[in-house]
Amino acid sequence: MRSQTATSLAELVQAEVSGNADLPIADGQALADAGPEHISFVAHKRNLEELAVSRAGAVVISRSLYEADARIAAAAGDRTVLLVQDALQAFLKMLNVLRPQPARREPGISHSAHVHPSAEISKGTVVYPGAHIAEDTQLGEDCIIHPNVVIGSGCRLGAGVVLFPGVVLYPGCQLGNQVIVHSGTVIGSDGFGYRLIDGGHRKLPHFGIVRIEDDVEIGSCVTIDRAMIGETVIGRGSRLDNLVHIAHNCQLGEHNLIMASAAIAGSVRTGDYLTCAGQVGMADHIQIGDRVTIGPQSGIVRDIADGETVVGTPGEPAMDTRRIWRTQRKLPEMWKTVRELQNRISSLESALAAATGEQGPALNSSSATSDDSRPEDGPYRAASSPAA
Amino acid sequence: MRSQTATSLAELVQAEVSGNADLPIADGQALADAGPEHISFVAHKRNLEELAVSRAGAVVISRSLYEADARIAAAAGDRTVLLVQDALQAFLKMLNVLRPQPARREPGISHSAHVHPSAEISKGTVVYPGAHIAEDTQLGEDCIIHPNVVIGSGCRLGAGVVLFPGVVLYPGCQLGNQVIVHSGTVIGSDGFGYRLIDGGHRKLPHFGIVRIEDDVEIGSCVTIDRAMIGETVIGRGSRLDNLVHIAHNCQLGEHNLIMASAAIAGSVRTGDYLTCAGQVGMADHIQIGDRVTIGPQSGIVRDIADGETVVGTPGEPAMDTRRIWRTQRKLPEMWKTVRELQNRISSLESALAAATGEQGPALNSSSATSDDSRPEDGPYRAASSPAA
Amino acid sequence: MRSQTATSLAELVQAEVSGNADLPIADGQALADAGPEHISFVAHKRNLEELAVSRAGAVVISRSLYEADARIAAAAGDRTVLLVQDALQAFLKMLNVLRPQPARREPGISHSAHVHPSAEISKGTVVYPGAHIAEDTQLGEDCIIHPNVVIGSGCRLGAGVVLFPGVVLYPGCQLGNQVIVHSGTVIGSDGFGYRLIDGGHRKLPHFGIVRIEDDVEIGSCVTIDRAMIGETVIGRGSRLDNLVHIAHNCQLGEHNLIMASAAIAGSVRTGDYLTCAGQVGMADHIQIGDRVTIGPQSGIVRDIADGETVVGTPGEPAMDTRRIWRTQRKLPEMWKTVRELQNRISSLESALAAATGEQGPALNSSSATSDDSRPEDGPYRAASSPAA
């Protein structure tokens, strides 16, 4: 931690200060965890109660919130207050100063890395010990290749790529600029493609690659399989959470958000701005439109049109699925009601038969579960005819 | 890429050529991606439309398709056509020539690998830098141990085993011949076995092993836990997709297909030729018969007999589950209908009471939700008796 | 294997022996796998049938079982029997002797490990080749750092910590005493936190850490993300199975059991003694009480109170969900019944109309799906009035 004052932080984020501007600030913390020596932040109305009871000595608040709701000023009390346009953004900027990150390693290639002589590594790039970079690879400028990363032959990396410890790129994969890949992730392994021949699942060779476009971030322990012939693509600006599976030949659009443990089968195509929640599964070969939202644990087995929000297994429009879920809870009650109605109808039938002088047995026969009993041919039509 | 002509490729796959046999072929591509310098393939009727609009200069087609449907010849037009028995297989064979794989590293053990002196490594085997092979291990001939693989003490590997970068084998694991394990996969970690003693979950030691039979392929980031006493077994010819979890003491049969993110709890036994779709969960100790198929995201909580196809959570026969799913969509409508029927019955009861001179209140009592109202003791039987 | 006799094993676990006490014992095996040279164990009544047909030469049995059920002695027959208080615990203790583990490597740091000079490594700790330990780290006594483990800068490890091959700790993580982490697990990667600004998902920097309390065991390929500001916490004595995902800012209580492939979204708080089954998903920011049990594949979207058992998606009390599941299976039948009741009511309405001299059409109008038809304002009330 590097100590600051409220004033020095205010200058950093161009804040307007009220209260004690000389207050020393040791660190930034969430409202619940902060003490008198800390600065915290209020970025949503829902933080109001937390603010009231927080021990934070200083707080940075979004100006629009502060001005819209007088209770926020009241809850802030006599703390040092910094008003800014965007409290979360300002707070994170302060943390950058309050918690200086360890100096980045000098650019260059560790003597304990295993780099093939044919690999081209541009200036500014760091290669840590234990990393393995195979033949005919090209790495752009200012990449960080952490310890024990393995980059297969023929891979192409743009500038500013960060591969965290233990990432594996199979041969031939292409990563654009500013791509971040977290530890344990495997890119370019063979797809799950077999043909049953003479009683054995014979492996289909995978000649394709994985191509990751610019500015993509991929979490930990993600698996992205190479295409059989062409490319598996992760579109520009997309973010994949931990433990996501992307099968061979998938083509994800731009700015997709795919949350933890989702599994997308082969040859799925998605549009731009997909929001796919955790543990979702998608069947192979389906097409997802632009700006689609998929709820957690959903199972998607059909194409989804632009702008749809789907939930459930099988995934259907969210409103329908939620209505089904609400009704489901009433199922036991409903079942009881249906049986009760059956009884009441039987009673009515008997009563009516009695009232109209018909014989019971003829009416009782309708109590048997006859599948296609239609009014026009049912016993009642017959029963009522004579009485008409 | 290594350029070929239609003739040279036809010779490779024993095809009959029509059209320009001298056409130079730069690469193979899927129909949608191919240009005039590419060969593509038609292996299914469903490729007909793609063929018609493809820019591919040449196309290899399964003879049976071509002869069965004249539209395929029409869609192929004046392209160079290669007729073969199995278009996909022929096409992949061509790709082998069109896209020569980088020469395999010379057999031998990298000086940067960490191999215990007691390890026995047979001829033809490659050990890459950063690999770690512990004491008392035995590796068969022609294995490929990629960078940063860790093989624990006492492991036994057959011939032709490929361990991709970063694979970890815990001590004592046994892999048969021609086993392929993709990156990030962990074989032989301790099973999830604890006993609650004095308020703490005390670890049960795991003395068993994992045994992988011949010709198994295992995807990336798969976890297979060792048995507590005996063996966790993956049967011959089985294929596990990425991110699959196999718990301790499981015994999988031969030629199982387990798709991505499936999780199989402890001591499950499966027969041969299981097809288990993605994200399936299986409860511990259940038994799955031969040639069983399990649909995606299913939750299997009971034994499944030979040949069954099950879907859903809890997993039931596919036809039943699909029928339930279809009906579920009508649940809100059904609920409305039931309430409406309630009202119509109440009205009928009132009307009948009025018609037969009974008093309203006595009949209205039947509107109350009485659970076990049976015809013989319900108010209607009573009501109708006097009128009979 | 190190051969023993029944007597030597009996002394080890303080057992009372009957039968041949000199029997040589080559190994311990489960009842189904054991031969005449093996000892096995009976710890539950349900092992009775297996015991009867087992080929085991000796068997260790829990005394309470043996004394409570004479059939166990009968099934044991003339085998050598060792009676103890806790058969499983005694059996595992015997395996420790029968299957001696390979001698642990001498303490010390491998010359092939990459350890920053500023790292503090306490006595008794082993660091294997290929491990990478960054600056300003502190490792307690008697830790085992397996090959290719990566420990980021500023990490703190207590005593007796075991990190299996390939584990990655991002900078600043804190592990208590006796923590075990299995291979492929990633602790401290950045959380999935983004803000949509000008059409791009802008990364929120993550300044927080992960803190793992004493005596925690974490399986293979688990991902635990660092907090944005404070700490992601795994409480004392908890056990996480393979492929579990814990998102940023989660705070798990003590002695939690989280089974394979569960995914817990951001900022979830759990109490103590949670039992969370496999493939469960939890939505962000929910709170789980003490001693909660969650069934497999459940999707938890709301807070759960102390002691609750919940199942299903969305997760509801287990009894309710099970009742719903049972009823669901009857849905197709129920739907048929409802349609049939509709017809019977229509017939009744017609019959009653005929009987009371009303005209059909007036009554038939009630067949139309009128949502809010109440008895008091429905056609029947009107129809019956004249007849009353």
Side-chain angles (χ1 to χ4, degrees), chain B residues 174-239:
Chain B
Q174 298 179 5
L175 278 63
N177 299 310
Q178 314 299 336
V179 169
I180 301 173
V181 185
H182 287 278
S183 290
T185 286
V186 177
I187 296 177
S189 45
D190 292 343
F192 196 73
Y194 302 95
R195 297 177 90 187
L196 190 60
I197 295 175
D198 297 335
H201 298 293
R202 186 166 152 183
K203 182 180 174 69
L204 293 174
H206 276 67
F207 293 95
I209 63 161
V210 173
R211 184 164 55 82
I212 314 276
E213 297 184 349
D214 291 349
D215 188 34
V216 165
E217 182 165 5
I218 298 174
S220 298
C221 294
V222 168
T223 65
I224 305 177
D225 282 350
R226 69 199 306 110
M228 202 165 78
I229 301 163
E231 299 177 340
T232 302
V233 179
I234 310 295
R236 187 170 61 95
S238 291
R239 279 84 179 81

Side-chain angles (χ1 to χ4, degrees), chain C residues 35 362 376:
Chain C
E376 52 273 26

Side-chain angles (χ1 to χ4, degrees), chain B residues 117-133:
Chain B
S118 64
E120 294 176 24
I121 299 185
S122 305
K123 75 179 158 70
T125 285
V126 188
V127 179
Y128 277 88
H132 187 277
I133 302 181

Side-chain angles (χ1 to χ4, degrees), chain B residues 2 41 66 150 156 200 207 252 263 284 291 353 358:
Chain B
R2 187 178 297 170
F41 70 102
Y66 189 83
V150 177
R156 301 273 176 278
F207 293 95
L252 270 56
D284 56 295
R291 297 183 186 275
E358 288 289 327

Side-chain angles (χ1 to χ4, degrees), chain A residues 344-369:
Chain A
R344 286 168 65 188
I345 291 172
S346 293
S347 299
L348 271 172
E349 288 165 348
S350 300
L352 187 65
T356 57
E358 290 287 328
Q359 294 197 346
L363 282 159
N364 282 346
S365 71
S366 74
S367 301
T369 308

Side-chain angles (χ1 to χ4, degrees), chain A residues 48 65-76:
Chain A
L48 179 65
L65 276 178
Y66 189 84
E67 289 175 351
D69 190 342
R71 290 175 304 171
I72 288 175

Side-chain angles (χ1 to χ4, degrees), chain A residues 6-7 9-18 59-61 63 81-85 90 94:
Chain A
T7 299
L9 291 175
E11 279 167 13
L12 178 74
V13 299
Q14 294 173 290
E16 179 190 339
V17 191
S18 63
V59 64
V60 55
I61 305 178
R63 183 184 296 277
V81 170
L82 283 72
L83 292 185
V84 294
Q85 205 201 328
M94 291 175 195

